[in-house]
């Protein structure tokens, strides 16, 4: 039982962690581009912000997987 | 409210001598959106600017330069100056201002230049202060070469070995040297120096002792700095004296130039001018009346077209798009900026502002769901709306205010939380407000026949149900999106297209949901698969019909976009996820503050309170950012893509705004 | 993050900023309006666009044509140095080496100024510190007295060594010509050396620079032929490294009998279609303006095509640099044209739009 719980926890952690890594890599370039574009033209702030947040979905999926795994454990 | 205003395209033709008065009239009406005349039209040129433009432009250039020198910026709460007073005094005021300022600014610039020169000189001479030689002694030798500069290592030893005649001076810290060596051996010397990390510093072109020179430089810098301070003070006084005038004059000149350059956007022939413009249909009568009263028969007005919503197939009408004028009633128009952030709606589609105003606060409330945060939100939002004028801040204030209202509602009834602590005593044995305050807060409030719950779900414990609710909210949201898309396509292309383009997706959505429900039982609850289950059959039927219709509408890409739909639905699980994460953080801070530290008594209670406050402040800010961003992101990416096209032209009528001046 | 990627260069940031800058450039329909305005209005108009920093700074001391000319060239310098400033890694190297042509222009201006005895202020007004050499470096070069001192400073600080034979030619001929030619060669050889051809965008960059060299050589060739300069003297004027007009081709074309024959010979090359019309006018009227304009437009079109193929590379940056220069040139042509009272139609035909 202990091993089971441990493995599930490990899986949940990996899910969120790796997803976070992926989203971070994605948002890195988009973020610098958004900041750069905004430096030239203030009006691009809204669009830049929105475009930057789009890769967040990856994390949410990771979180959902982690939660589903967690409910299996509890 | 839901569709942009109907526009008509008008043509105005008149003779050139009426041009100036026509321009004035157009600005007064404030409802005319000019279509810039194309420059390459046969037989016409662009109008030339009215004569007032040139002079006003020149004054404006000088005025703006002076404003920059004085550092005048926008001010609030100024008494507007009458323009007849202004025009009378404008010329001489600009002249006298110029004279007063230019001397001061010139001297200031000169002093600043001299100061930077002095700084450079000081940097150059500082190293030489460490050596006991006068500067003249470094120069003018016929048979010697002189090397001065920084070294990393002491070269004396090596020099002594290889070079016969030399003299080396070193500063106290051993970093700076001056080497005198015979010309024949100078190459060797240089090589050795380079080995010891030598970097040359040229001797400054002065004479005398370095320390004296340094003193005089520092002294001069002092006096100059004082002068600059004086001059800055003078400029400050000038600024106070002239700021109002400068701002008023700039605004006035700006308006003159704006009006005088309007002919550049119009067409002209030798004797006449041509204007093409968009006017909202309901303002047309007013326009016609105004022109009739002022010019009678001498100006010709005609309605060229009344732009319909129904689009033509294909997009070749890029050139003459009708401008889009959105007007929304009071609470909704605060959200217009959020729609504009993506882009202005097109002329022939629905304006999504009312829908955002409803859904976004609800999402925001769901994601935060805590009375303790909700009340500050509402207060801050209200203050922001009262005081802020810039669009961005007003939008944030709107978000806080309306989101805050829903936060309180959800926090009170659905989650029953404040600052992460539940109201009623909980079955999980955690701290609640009941246990903290020592009073019994019921789970339900009885109001006559109604039983109002004070907290149905707990964000951390009822995760599955909350996820379930979020996904259902998502399905409803997408459903509304597809319905709107259906309406949009109907407006644009007619019912048939709408059926193939959007109805198919509606059916797919319904089908997928029903199948999902059926399969959920099988997969999660491990019930046996019943093929004749109503939901199963209905779902499959709807799904298949939807895909077939989609094939006709969009081709094979329908199948490729099916997974996209699933990911969109799943994306709404963030409503639960974010709520959970905030609750988790709150739980952590509460536990630390209340269970771990507070029982210590005395000082520890203060410490616990501090941790409590700081922690919740942090969560507060994070909540605003993440709930706001994700709430708006759900609107933009999931909702809008189902029906919104955007890219419309914003209605920009000719009008003047006066802040610092007043018309008579 | 920079160290993590090594010398790669921050393409995402730079390209996003460049695209934003590009959207603020003057569009085609602004030029007809500018043509209808007079000089004060043009100055004010520029003060409301992205030239406003320079315009407000200078408006108290200058006006009219001077204001516009000085304002636009200072703005060009500032923007170019800004681009160098925010790029990193190999991207920065490539941009620096491309913008080295401004360093070369400045050095030439300083040499010419010193040679002809102009004052420091006069030379300063013509400098455009748009390359790697900052305004301070250029001022320190200006402070030196003679041509030899300046060349010495260049050798120690910038690593530009003038070989002995060029120095000898300079002393012999008593003109700056040999030095200037040599500086040209140095610039182009450095530029070609710095381009990385192991990437696809790098290859396109190289192709583009080679086309530029072709165009420059072609302009020189046409001018020389029109003046009927003997072929032996032509060699020194040409730059090595073009793609279609190699050194051999150029020498062959230079030794053709006369201008008309040259035009016929040019029909074999790819850019002939673009300049056909201009060459015809040149044959008849002897004026090379049409051809020059046609060649400019050809280059601009090329760079526009390139910039869309690889959006995250040096190509969009290059495209912007060229367009910015074209815009500044256009504004100055309009300003000078208005100042000398030229007819609007004539000015319009001189613009590269």
């Amino acid at each position: 039982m202990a091993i089971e719980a441990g493995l599930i926890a490990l899986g949940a952690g990996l899910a969120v962690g790796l997803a976070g890594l992926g989203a971070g890599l994605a948002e890195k370039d988009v973020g610098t581009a958004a900041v750069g574009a905004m430096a030239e033209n203030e009006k691009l702030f809204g669009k830049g912000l929105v475009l930057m947040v789009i890769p967040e979905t990856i994390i949410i999926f990771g979180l959902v997987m982690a939660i589903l795994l967690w409910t299996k454990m509890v | 409210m839901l569709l942009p205003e109907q526009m008509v395209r008008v043509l105005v033709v008149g003779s050139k001598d009426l041009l100036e008065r026509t321009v004035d009239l157009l600005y007064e009406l404030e409802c005319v959106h000019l279509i810039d005349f194309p420059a390459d039209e046969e037989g016409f040129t662009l109008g030339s600017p009215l004569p007032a433009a040139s002079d006003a432009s020149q004054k404006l250039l000088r005025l703006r330069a002076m404003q920059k020198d004085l550092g005048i910026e926008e001010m609030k709460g100024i008494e507007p100056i009458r323009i007849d007073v202004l025009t009378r005094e404008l010329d001489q005021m600009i002249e006298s201002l110029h004279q007063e300022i230019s001397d001061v600014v010139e001297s200031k610039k000169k002093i600043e230049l001299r100061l930077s020169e002095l700084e450079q000189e000081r940097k150059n001479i500082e190293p030489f202060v460490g050596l006991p030689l006068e500067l003249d002694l470094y120069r003018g030798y016929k048979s010697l070469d002189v090397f001065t500069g920084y070294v990393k290592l002491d070269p004396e030893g090596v020099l002594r070995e290889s070079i016969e005649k030399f003299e080396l001076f070193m500063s106290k810290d051993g970093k700076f040297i001056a080497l005198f060596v015979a010309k024949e051996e100078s190459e060797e010397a240089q090589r050795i120096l380079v080995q010891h990390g030598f970097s040359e510093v040229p001797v400054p072109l002065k004479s005398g002792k370095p320390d004296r020179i340094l003193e005089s430089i520092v002294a001069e810098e002092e006096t100059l700095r004082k002068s600059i301070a004086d001059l800055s003070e003078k400029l400050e006084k000038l600024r106070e004296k002239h700021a109002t005038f400068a701002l008023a004059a700039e605004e006035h000149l700006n308006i003159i130039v704006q009006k005088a350059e309007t002919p550049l956007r119009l067409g002209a022939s030798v004797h006449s001018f041509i204007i093409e413009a968009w006017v909202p249909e309901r303002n047309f009568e007013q326009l016609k009346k105004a022109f009739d009263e002022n010019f009678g028969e001498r100006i010709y007005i005609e309605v060229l077209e009344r732009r319909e919503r129904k689009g033509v197939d294909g997009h070749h009408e890029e050139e003459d798009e009708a401008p889009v004028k959105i007007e929304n009633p009071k609470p909704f128009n605060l959200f217009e900026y959020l729609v504009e952030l993506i882009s202005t709606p097109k002329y022939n589609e629905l304006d999504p502002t009312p829908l955002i105003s409803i859904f976004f606060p609800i999402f925001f409330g769901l994601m935060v769901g805590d009375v303790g945060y909700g009340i500050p939100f509402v207060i801050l939002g209200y203050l922001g709306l009262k005081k802020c004028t810039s669009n961005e801040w007003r939008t944030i204030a709107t978000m806080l205010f309306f989101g805050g209202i829903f936060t309180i509602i959800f926090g009170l009834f659905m989650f029953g939380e404040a600052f992460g602590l539940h109201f009623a005593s909980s079955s999980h044995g955690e701290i609640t407000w009941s246990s903290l305050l020592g009073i019994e807060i019921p789970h339900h409030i009885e109001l006559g026949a109604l039983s109002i719950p004070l907290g149905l779900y707990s964000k951390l414990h009822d995760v599955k149900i909350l996820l379930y609710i979020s996904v259902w909210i998502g399905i409803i949201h997408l459903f509304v999106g597809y319905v709107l898309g259906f309406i949009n396509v109907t407006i644009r292309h007619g019912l048939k297209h709408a059926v193939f383009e959007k109805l198919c997706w509606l059916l797919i959505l319904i089908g997928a949901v029903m199948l999902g429900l059926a399969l959920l039982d099988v997969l999660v609850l491990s019930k046996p698969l019943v093929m004749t289950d109503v939901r199963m059959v209905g779902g499959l039927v709807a799904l298949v019909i939807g895909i077939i219709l989609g094939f006709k509408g969009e081709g094979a890409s329908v199948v490729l976009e099916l997974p996209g739909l699933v990911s969109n639905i799943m994306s709404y699980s963030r409503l639960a996820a974010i709520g959970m994460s905030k609750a988790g953080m709150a739980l952590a801070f509460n536990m630390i503050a209340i269970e771990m530290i507070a029982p210590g008594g005395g000082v520890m209670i203060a410490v616990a309170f501090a941790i409590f406050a700081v922690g919740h402040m942090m969560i507060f800010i994070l909540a605003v950012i993440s709930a706001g961003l994700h709430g708006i992101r759900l609107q933009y990416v999931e909702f809008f893509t189902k029906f919104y096209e955007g890219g419309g032209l914003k209605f920009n009528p000719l009008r003047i705004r006066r802040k610092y001046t007043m018309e008579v | 993050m920079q160290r993590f990627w090594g010398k790669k260069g921050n393409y995402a940031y730079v390209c996003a900023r460049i695209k934003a800058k590009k959207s603020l450039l003057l569009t085609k329909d602004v030029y007809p309006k500018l043509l209808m305005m007079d000089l004060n209005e043009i100055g004010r108009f520029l003060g409301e666009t992205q030239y406003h920093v320079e315009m407000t700074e200078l408006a108290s001391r200058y006006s009219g044509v001077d204001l516009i000319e000085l304002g636009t060239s200072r703005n060009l310098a500032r923007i170019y140095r800004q681009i160098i400033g925010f790029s990193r890694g190999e991207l920065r190297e490539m941009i620096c080496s491309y913008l080295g042509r401004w360093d070369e222009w400045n050095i030439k201006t300083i040499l010419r100024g010193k040679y002809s005895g102009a004052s420091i202020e006069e030379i300063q007004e013509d400098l455009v510190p748009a390359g790697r050499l900052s305004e301070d470096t250029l001022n320190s070069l200006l402070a030196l007295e003679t041509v030899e001192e300046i060349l010495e400073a260049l050798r120690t600080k910038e690593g530009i060594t003038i070989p002995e034979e060029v120095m000898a030619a300079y002393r012999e001929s008593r003109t700056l010509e040999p030095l200037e030619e040599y500086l040209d060669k140095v610039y182009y050889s450095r530029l070609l050396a710095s381009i990385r051809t192991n990437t696809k965008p790098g290859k396109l960059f190289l192709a583009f620079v080679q086309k530029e060299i072709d165009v420059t050589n072609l302009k020189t060739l046409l001018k020389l032929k029109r003046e009927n300069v003997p072929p032996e003297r032509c060699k020194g004027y040409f730059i090595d490294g073009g793609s279609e007009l190699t050194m051999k081709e150029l020498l062959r074309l230079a030794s053709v009998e006369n201008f008309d024959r040259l035009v016929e010979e040019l029909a074999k090359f790819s850019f002939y279609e673009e300049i056909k019309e201009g060459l015809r006018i040149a044959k008849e009227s002897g004026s090379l303006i049409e051809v020059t304009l046609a060649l400019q437009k050809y280059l601009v079109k090329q760079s526009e095509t390139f910039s869309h193929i690889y959006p995250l590379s040096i190509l969009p940056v290059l495209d912007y640099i060229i367009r910015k220069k074209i815009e500044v040139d256009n504004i100055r042509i309009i300003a000078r044209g208005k100042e000398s009272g030229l007819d609007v139609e004539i000015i319009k035909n001189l613009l590269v739009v």
Side-chain angles (χ1 to χ4, degrees):
Chain A
M1 200 242 108
I3 293 192
E4 206 181 275
L7 283 176
I8 293 181
L10 197 65
L14 276 176
V16 176
L18 290 176
L21 204 63
L25 280 176
E27 289 184 12
K28 170 176 81 80
D29 279 327
V30 181
T32 52
V35 166
M38 209 194 95
E40 298 295 331
N41 189 354
E42 296 279 325
K43 281 189 272 185
L44 294 172
F45 172 63
K47 291 197 185 133
L49 193 62
V50 171
L51 282 171
M52 207 192 96
V53 186
I54 290 190
E56 286 289 303
T57 321
I58 312 177
I59 297 246
I60 302 285
F61 290 168
L63 185 65
V64 169
M65 288 315 301
I67 295 177
L68 289 176
L69 279 174
W70 174 50
T71 54
K72 274 220 187 312
M73 178 167 80
V74 166
Chain B
M1 176 181 89
L2 281 183
L3 276 177
E5 270 193 52
Q6 182 72 40
M7 293 280 164
V8 290
R9 189 178 178 151
V10 294
L11 177 71
V12 179
V13 181
S15 69
K16 262 193 179 161
D17 51 335
L18 296 175
L19 186 53
E20 193 165 343
R21 285 169 55 195
T22 313
V23 171
D24 281 333
L25 186 60
L26 288 178
Y27 272 95
E28 269 177 40
L29 288 170
E30 291 196 3
C31 62
V32 177
H33 175 108
L34 276 187
I35 301 178
D36 280 21
F37 199 80
D40 41 12
E41 195 82 12
E42 278 294 322
F44 289 101
T45 59
L46 292 181
S48 34
L50 296 174
S54 173
D55 187 51
S57 292
Q58 191 189 29
K59 293 205 189 98
L60 204 52
L61 271 175
R62 294 175 71 193
L63 192 58
R64 284 197 181 135
M66 289 193 276
Q67 272 186 316
K68 180 164 172 290
D69 285 333
L70 283 180
I72 298 181
E73 286 177 6
E74 284 199 22
M75 292 167 37
K76 283 194 184 170
I78 299 205
E79 180 95 14
I81 306 184
R82 294 161 56 112
I83 52 175
D84 50 355
V85 170
L86 201 57
T87 23
R88 250 197 333 239
E89 307 185 358
L90 196 64
D91 285 342
Q92 32 160 197
M93 287 291 279
I94 291 189
E95 263 316 305
S96 62
L97 189 65
H98 181 71
Q99 273 169 4
E100 281 184 43
I101 297 183
S102 55
D103 294 331
V104 179
V105 173
E106 275 304 310
S107 349
K108 189 164 177 224
K109 281 207 179 94
K110 277 210 194 90
I111 297 184
E112 275 170 357
L113 204 62
R114 180 78 189 129
L115 268 179
S116 60
E117 272 175 23
L118 284 177
E119 170 135 6
Q120 192 64 29
E121 280 178 24
R122 185 158 52 85
K123 272 205 206 113
N124 284 345
I125 203 149
E126 259 166 6
F128 288 93
V129 176
L131 300 175
L133 295 173
E134 285 195 15
L135 291 178
D136 291 325
L137 295 176
Y138 290 101
R139 280 189 291 271
Y141 294 103
K142 285 205 197 127
S143 59
L144 292 181
D145 262 340
V146 185
F147 295 96
T148 52
Y150 287 99
V151 284
K152 295 210 176 87
L153 303 165
D154 185 355
E156 183 151 8
V158 185
L159 283 170
R160 213 163 275 289
E161 288 172 18
S162 340
I163 312 229
E164 283 185 41
K165 288 188 277 200
F166 73 93
E167 187 151 2
L168 181 70
F169 294 92
M170 221 186 228
S171 69
K172 283 208 186 58
D173 54 2
K175 290 270 164 27
F176 192 77
I177 60 139
L179 176 66
F180 294 82
V181 73
K183 271 207 161 72
E184 308 84 59
E185 302 184 282
S186 76
E187 253 188 66
E188 178 69 18
Q190 184 167 29
R191 212 175 43 79
I192 297 179
L193 285 176
V194 166
Q195 274 174 3
H196 288 79
F198 177 67
S199 61
E200 176 148 24
V201 174
V203 182
L205 297 158
K206 286 190 196 303
S207 34
K209 282 179 170 271
D211 40 1
R212 291 276 167 73
I213 300 181
L214 190 64
E215 271 175 37
S216 70
I217 292 182
V218 173
E220 194 179 341
E221 279 185 337
E222 266 308 305
T223 30
L224 285 182
R225 286 223 178 88
K226 273 206 206 87
S227 324
I228 282 220
D230 285 336
L231 287 175
S232 299
E233 235 190 87
K234 256 196 228 158
L235 277 182
E236 183 64 29
K237 284 209 189 75
L238 280 174
R239 187 167 73 81
E240 279 174 28
K241 185 168 140 203
H242 293 287
T244 9
F245 167 74
L247 288 169
E250 191 199 358
E251 184 181 278
H252 180 68
L253 286 171
N254 236 342
I255 293 177
I256 294 184
V257 168
Q258 198 188 353
K259 276 194 184 172
E261 288 199 342
T262 318
L264 284 172
R265 303 171 66 182
L266 314 173
S269 68
V270 180
H271 294 296
S272 58
F273 67 84
I274 294 193
I275 305 179
E276 268 190 61
W278 292 99
V279 177
E281 191 173 36
R282 61 178 179 164
N283 294 99
F284 180 65
E285 278 312 308
Q286 175 194 12
L287 181 87
K288 201 153 184 349
K289 217 170 81 149
F291 268 93
D292 277 338
E293 280 174 17
N294 277 289
F295 302 110
E297 289 288 314
R298 299 171 60 194
I299 291 232
Y300 171 73
I301 301 188
E302 175 194 330
V303 172
L304 286 177
E305 106 178 67
R306 180 184 181 277
R307 182 52 65 94
E308 294 297 332
R309 314 263 180 211
K310 197 174 172 61
V312 189
D313 275 322
H315 296 277
H316 53 249
E317 38 176 297
E318 289 289 344
E319 298 276 321
D320 35 1
E321 262 194 61
V324 170
K325 183 176 177 209
I326 339 176
E327 266 186 57
N328 282 302
K330 234 347 175 97
F332 294 155
N333 68 349
L334 295 163
F335 288 90
E336 271 173 24
Y337 185 68
L338 281 173
V339 176
E340 299 264 318
L341 212 54
I342 287 280
S343 52
T344 324
K346 260 203 156 61
Y347 183 66
N348 48 7
E349 65 178 354
L350 293 171
D351 170 22
T353 321
L355 292 147
I356 291 197
S357 347
I358 302 177
F359 278 114
F360 178 51
I362 294 183
F363 286 1
F364 191 87
L366 264 178
M367 284 198 263
V368 183
D370 192 307
V371 179
Y373 300 141
I375 300 183
F377 280 164
V378 175
I379 299 179
L380 279 175
Y382 184 67
L383 284 175
L385 280 177
K386 263 201 156 306
K387 297 231 164 153
C388 299
T389 44
S390 87
N391 266 329
E392 285 92 13
W393 285 109
R394 283 188 76 82
T395 314
I396 297 183
T398 323
M399 179 177 92
L400 285 178
F401 184 67
F402 290 105
I405 295 180
F406 276 100
T407 314
I408 298 182
I409 297 177
F410 284 125
L412 207 49
F413 300 122
M414 184 157 156
F415 297 115
E417 283 192 322
F419 290 118
L421 297 167
H422 288 269
F423 290 133
S425 42
S426 116
S427 45
H428 301 276
E430 53 189 25
I431 334 163
T432 60
W433 285 106
S434 330
S435 61
L436 207 56
L437 297 174
I439 55 178
E440 181 65 32
I441 304 181
H443 276 273
H444 297 261
I445 298 187
E446 309 290 335
L447 272 187
L450 292 171
S451 166
I452 307 179
L454 265 185
L456 275 174
Y457 303 111
S458 160
K459 282 204 221 122
L460 284 173
H461 299 287
D462 299 315
V463 173
K464 274 209 186 132
I465 299 189
L466 284 176
L467 269 179
Y468 202 57
I469 295 181
S470 320
V471 173
W472 266 109
I473 294 183
I475 294 176
I476 298 176
H477 205 213
L478 289 175
F479 192 83
V480 173
Y482 280 128
V483 168
L484 286 177
F486 187 76
I487 301 179
N488 266 348
V489 181
T490 319
I491 295 179
R492 233 178 284 158
H493 297 283
L495 201 58
K496 198 164 142 239
H497 276 260
V499 166
F500 288 131
E501 278 184 35
K502 294 296 177 198
L503 192 64
C504 55
W505 281 108
L506 259 177
L507 287 173
I508 294 180
L509 179 65
I510 298 177
V513 169
M514 290 208 269
L515 262 183
L517 283 174
L519 289 175
L520 197 69
D521 284 343
V522 175
L523 292 172
V524 178
L525 300 175
S526 307
K527 291 210 196 114
L529 184 59
V530 181
M531 282 310 290
T532 53
D533 191 353
V534 171
R535 297 174 296 182
M536 194 79 176
V537 172
L540 274 174
V541 166
L543 202 58
V544 167
I545 299 183
I547 294 185
I548 297 181
L549 283 178
F551 249 46
K552 278 213 79 177
E554 294 174 32
S557 62
V558 173
V559 184
L560 290 174
E561 290 184 17
L562 281 176
L565 182 62
V566 178
S567 99
N568 277 339
I569 300 181
M570 289 319 295
S571 181
Y572 284 87
S573 56
R574 73 185 67 214
L575 291 173
I578 293 186
M580 226 186 73
S581 69
K582 296 294 168 292
M585 281 201 271
L587 181 68
F589 278 112
N590 289 340
M591 270 189 78
I592 296 179
I594 299 180
E595 283 182 16
M596 300 210 302
I597 300 199
V603 173
M604 297 312 265
I605 295 197
V607 172
F609 193 71
I611 294 187
F612 187 79
V614 166
H616 281 282
M617 189 81 68
M618 228 176 67
I619 305 181
F620 185 79
I621 299 181
L622 279 175
V624 175
I625 300 177
S626 61
L629 258 176
H630 283 285
I632 203 66
R633 176 218 176 283
L634 280 174
Q635 312 293 326
Y636 286 163
V637 179
E638 271 83 22
F639 191 46
F640 274 18
T641 46
K642 302 296 171 285
F643 68 96
Y644 192 66
E645 224 182 271
L649 184 63
K650 189 160 176 139
F651 183 66
N652 193 10
L654 295 176
R655 74 173 133 202
I656 314 174
R657 287 241 163 83
R658 287 189 186 273
K659 255 201 307 188
Y660 305 113
T661 54
M662 193 165 60
E663 278 217 48
V664 184
Chain C
M1 264 303 139
Q2 265 151 260
R3 252 173 282 145
F4 180 71
W5 289 115
K7 289 181 49 160
K8 185 162 183 261
N10 49 350
Y11 287 95
Y13 179 69
V14 171
C15 287
R17 260 190 106 149
I18 294 284
K19 293 273 167 64
K21 277 193 201 286
K22 198 159 143 186
S23 70
L24 293 173
L25 283 178
L26 300 178
T27 53
K28 273 207 320 222
D29 48 310
V30 173
Y31 288 114
K33 294 193 184 136
L34 280 180
L35 282 168
M36 302 294 292
M37 297 187 201
D38 78 346
L39 286 171
N40 289 325
E41 293 166 43
I42 297 182
R44 191 222 85 232
F45 175 81
L46 288 178
E48 289 166 4
T49 56
Q50 72 271 43
Y51 292 92
H52 62 95
V53 172
E54 279 78 21
M55 284 298 164
T56 32
E57 237 179 67
L58 298 171
S60 45
R61 273 174 288 152
Y62 301 90
S63 69
V65 171
D66 293 329
L67 174 63
I68 298 177
E69 288 214 344
L70 212 52
T72 45
S73 70
R74 278 213 192 163
N75 179 276
L76 188 74
R78 187 173 68 88
I79 300 274
Y80 281 177
R81 285 194 61 78
Q82 193 188 32
I83 298 180
I84 296 183
F86 61 64
S87 40
R88 299 262 176 278
E90 62 181 24
L91 182 59
R92 183 175 202 205
E93 282 169 31
M94 286 199 273
I95 298 180
C96 273
S97 58
Y98 186 78
L99 288 177
R101 67 184 54 188
W102 288 103
D103 292 331
E104 190 216 340
W105 159 263
N106 287 328
I107 297 176
K108 274 202 226 164
T109 312
I110 295 180
L111 287 175
R112 282 187 202 155
K114 287 292 169 188
Y115 187 75
S116 56
S119 76
I120 293 193
E121 284 82 35
E122 287 177 354
I123 308 180
Q124 249 180 356
E125 283 195 350
D126 278 336
L127 292 181
V128 184
R132 211 170 31 90
L133 300 176
S134 71
E135 203 169 335
D136 294 327
T137 329
L138 291 172
N139 280 338
S140 69
L141 282 178
L142 255 187
L144 300 170
E145 290 289 327
T146 68
V147 171
E148 275 82 6
E149 283 182 4
I150 297 179
L151 292 177
E152 181 62 20
L154 281 176
R155 184 178 69 83
T156 46
K157 290 205 189 123
E158 304 298 327
I160 304 178
T161 321
I162 316 279
E164 256 315 301
E165 57 262 22
V166 180
M167 285 302 287
Y170 159 62
R171 281 190 214 105
E172 205 186 295
S173 64
R174 302 259 92 220
T175 67
L176 290 173
E177 224 176 272
L179 291 171
E180 293 191 356
E181 279 167 30
Y182 184 72
L183 286 174
D184 276 340
K185 291 202 173 68
V186 165
Y187 164 66
Y188 276 107
S189 57
R190 273 191 178 181
L191 175 59
L192 288 171
S194 79
I195 302 179
R196 310 213 171 205
T197 47
N198 53 351
T199 61
K200 289 219 184 67
K203 289 205 185 73
L204 282 181
F205 184 26
L206 183 64
F208 181 75
V209 170
Q210 284 175 331
K211 274 206 171 47
E212 273 199 328
I213 299 182
D214 275 343
V215 165
T216 317
N217 282 334
L218 183 60
K219 282 194 218 162
T220 320
L221 178 65
L222 289 172
K223 260 190 246 163
L224 290 174
K225 256 308 167 231
R226 203 185 49 169
E227 311 284 323
N228 284 316
V229 171
E232 314 80 54
R233 288 211 12 217
C234 291
K235 175 154 195 271
Y237 291 104
F238 295 134
I239 306 168
D240 205 359
S243 60
E244 284 184 47
L245 292 174
T246 58
M247 209 42 141
K248 232 176 52 179
E249 269 299 310
L250 286 168
L251 290 175
R252 188 182 69 80
L253 290 170
S255 38
V256 151
E257 300 96 53
N258 55 26
F259 194 73
D260 292 340
R261 277 284 295 153
L262 177 62
V263 172
E264 285 166 33
E265 288 288 319
L266 286 177
K268 295 190 269 170
F269 295 108
S270 68
F271 41 76
Y272 185 64
E273 276 306 307
E274 319 279 331
I275 58 176
K276 216 165 49 177
E277 187 56 29
L279 282 175
R280 192 182 59 78
I281 300 183
K283 255 206 283 202
E284 293 169 9
S285 66
S287 133
L288 290 176
I289 298 184
E290 281 297 322
V291 190
T292 327
L293 277 178
L295 285 171
Q296 277 281 68
K297 291 189 189 156
Y298 170 67
L299 273 182
V300 173
K301 249 192 333 187
Q302 286 291 340
S303 84
E304 163 117 38
T305 333
F306 282 161
S307 77
H308 291 302
I309 302 182
Y310 292 105
L312 279 184
S313 64
I314 185 163
L315 299 172
V317 186
L318 208 57
D319 183 47
Y320 177 75
I321 290 179
I322 294 175
R323 281 170 180 279
K324 178 80 184 167
K325 172 100 192 342
I326 301 268
E327 176 184 289
V328 165
D329 282 343
N330 281 343
I331 296 178
R332 296 175 88 178
I333 291 175
I334 296 181
R336 280 201 219 124
K338 293 235 161 234
E339 172 82 354
S340 9
L342 285 181
D343 185 38
V344 168
E345 281 302 313
I346 301 185
I347 307 181
K348 197 157 102 154
N349 286 331
L350 288 172
L351 300 178
V352 178
V353 180

